[in-house]
Amino acid sequence: MKAWLVRFVSLYVFDVVVLLLIGMLLGSVRVGWAAFWAALVLTAATIWVKPLVRRMFRAMTAPSAAKRSRLGEKAVQGLLVFAVEVIVWIAVVLFSGVAVRGWFWGWVLPPIALLIAFAIYDLVDDRIEARTGALFDRVSGGRSRTDAAAAPAPPARDRPASGAAPTDRYDGLTPEQRRMLDDLG
């Protein structure tokens, strides 16, 4: 639960910033205070709708993938990603107070900006989510990820012998995998 909440909050804050930047840089898009609601729509669409639409588009283009050249396949994949961003942008405009004027400047250019923004987010999302998680831990009074990583190793007598079957706590997972599983439940 915490991992999803951290991902949602960090993506929401990033989306607010992106929408405000789009509103400031493009005169054809008016965002204003609607950025807070629009970011909520954008975040929900990014987390839940975008993967479904992407999977649907990939299923439609998969049968003809063998017939295309490598460059043709890259072009089709790029168009699919752009089409998904257009659908997400249409959802943001329809379900929020974002106002759009002009066909190119209002309906084509913002999805390109979202595409660039999400490429940047993909590069930095691990760091953003780690900082958001640490802030969440600090606010909730829990242990942060760095505290958990710095925790002393359990005594050797609690560890299974090299030939013995691993116990529940030491089942061969790395500390990071263990933390991810602990965050789920």
Side-chain angles (χ1 to χ4, degrees), residues 112-124:
I112 293 172
L114 286 177
L115 193 63
I116 294 168
F118 286 127
I120 293 169
Y121 184 78
D122 283 341
L123 294 174
V124 297

Side-chain angles (χ1 to χ4, degrees), residues 70-141:
R70 183 184 276 167
L71 181 63
E73 182 62 24
K74 289 291 184 186
V76 167
Q77 293 299 323
L79 287 173
L80 290 179
V81 171
F82 179 70
V84 170
E85 292 304 328
V86 168
I87 291 171
V88 168
W89 178 247
I90 290 170
V92 167
V93 172
L94 291 178
F95 296 118
S96 69
V98 173
V100 174
R101 291 184 321 258
W103 181 82
F104 178 77
W105 295 100
W107 293 102
V108 175
L109 205 53
I112 293 172
L114 286 177
L115 193 63
I116 294 168
F118 286 127
I120 293 169
Y121 184 78
D122 283 341
L123 294 174
V124 297
D125 67 336
D126 292 334
R127 285 180 272 170
I128 290 173
E129 289 178 15
R131 287 190 183 190
T132 305
L135 180 64
F136 180 82
D137 287 339
R138 197 173 325 134
V139 168
S140 66

